[in-house]
Amino acid sequence: WVVPIVTGHAVLWRPGLPIGGASNNAVGLTLGLAAAVARVRMHAERRWWWRVISVMAALLIVQSLSRAGWLLALVVLVVMLVSHRRVNLRWGVPVGGLVAVVGVLELVRRRGADVLVDPARWDNAVTGVEAWSGSLGGIVFGIGPMRVWPWLALERGRPGEELVGMQHDSPWGQVLYHAHSTYLEALVEYGLVGLVLLLVVLGLVVRRCVREIRRRGELSLVAVALLLSLPAMLVELYLFRGFVTALLWWAAVLAVGRVGRRPLVR
């Protein structure tokens, strides 16, 4: 992160991180940001340390230029401000709105006109749905893993399957080398059965998060970040791919779901 600045190459935008690439580290970084802010409120004696970690997580999200990452971080920031007892909503809401507008404009300036709609991902989804809807068995049970998007073999670099760029020639036409959507992956590869099972699991996660938020638990901000990760899964392949983020996500789910956690005391 700091090496390009020290060597005079200015700020390096969209770097890959151990937590994931620039396009798919948004959920893990947002969970880290929410958890660090929660620790600031929980441990007054170590507040300065967790504030430093919060700032670092926020800067990494900004540096990723991830559309989902910026949106998730803005929502977490707004929730954090609104839930803080020292924040006056009369000025807090306008300031939060101004920060959101400036952030969107800056993201559009750096990412270009396709910041809201990515044609490559849209075409990728259309091709995947066409492959899934080709037969009744495919619709119900899916067409099987790695047939449209063999991302695991390509990333491992098996002979004759080396990854070149982001595109892959599938039997149904050219696609991105992975689904770029958790729900699309589940639907195409495992059919309606797989998608329903995934939604059932995520529904249990939603239940845990809502319960934590309603009781104003000490991890309510982490619960908000988990809920935000669910729409983020529409545009990126989480849980199936990306071990570090998946591990963080499930750890956050298990932490939020703990029975007997005390309400947040500020």
Side-chain angles (χ1 to χ4, degrees):
W1 183 22
V2 298
V3 168
I5 300 177
V6 174
T7 56
H9 291 85
V11 176
L12 176 63
W13 294 100
R14 312 214 75 204
L17 303 173
I19 198 174
S23 64
N24 63 359
N25 59 27
V27 165
L29 289 176
T30 304
L31 287 173
L33 173 62
V37 173
R39 298 293 288 184
V40 169
R41 299 178 177 182
M42 292 163 57
H43 296 279
E45 69 278 6
R46 299 176 182 174
R47 186 170 295 173
W48 65 272
W49 171 243
W50 291 108
R51 282 176 176 167
V52 170
I53 295 178
S54 301
V55 172
M56 290 178 61
L59 289 176
L60 287 172
I61 292 174
V62 170
Q63 192 181 21
S64 72
L65 291 183
S66 167
R67 291 162 289 193
W70 281 38
L71 179 60
L72 267 59
L74 283 173
V75 175
V76 168
L77 176 63
V78 170
V79 172
M80 179 184 67
L81 290 173
V82 171
S83 62
H84 201 288
R85 58 174 180 160
R86 295 183 181 179
V87 173
N88 189 332
L89 295 182
R90 293 181 179 178
W91 61 263
V93 172
V95 170
L98 179 61
V99 171
V101 171
V102 172
V104 170
L105 292 176
E106 178 64 15
L107 192 59
V108 170
R109 185 179 74 86
R110 292 192 176 274
R111 291 296 303 269
D114 62 344
V115 66
L116 296 179
V117 179
D118 190 334
R121 295 193 188 192
W122 178 259
D123 294 339
N124 186 62
V126 170
T127 303
V129 171
E130 289 177 352
W132 163 75
S133 60
S135 65
L136 180 60
I139 292 174
V140 177
F141 299 106
I143 63 174
M146 303 292 169
R147 293 196 62 196
V148 182
W149 304 289
W151 58 268
L152 183 58
L154 292 172
E155 289 185 349
R156 292 183 65 183
R158 290 179 178 175
E161 296 181 323
E162 292 83 359
L163 178 61
V164 179
M166 296 293 293
Q167 299 290 332
H168 165 69
D169 290 323
S170 75
W172 293 271
Q174 194 173 64
V175 293
L176 297 174
Y177 81 96
H178 68 80
H180 274 284
S181 172
T182 306
Y183 306 109
L184 180 65
E185 174 100 352
L187 177 65
V188 174
E189 296 192 348
Y190 305 102
L192 292 175
V193 173
L195 181 61
V196 169
L197 290 175
L198 174 64
L199 293 179
V200 168
V201 173
L202 296 182
L204 296 175
V205 174
V206 170
R207 182 182 177 185
R208 287 186 171 203
C209 293
V210 171
R211 181 178 61 189
E212 183 76 4
I213 294 170
R214 283 181 175 177
R215 66 189 293 269
R216 299 177 65 84
E218 57 190 5
L219 293 181
S220 57
L221 192 61
V222 178
V224 170
L226 283 170
L227 291 178
L228 290 173
S229 72
L230 301 184
M233 292 181 187
L234 282 168
V235 295
E236 192 54 62
L237 184 56
Y238 293 109
L239 302 186
F240 295 103
R241 173 178 175 267
F243 174 76
V244 179
T245 293
L247 179 64
L248 289 174
W249 194 86
W250 283 112
V253 170
L254 295 175
V256 167
R258 283 182 57 191
V259 179
R261 277 197 169 276
R262 62 182 184 276
L264 178 62
V265 179
R266 297 190 187 91

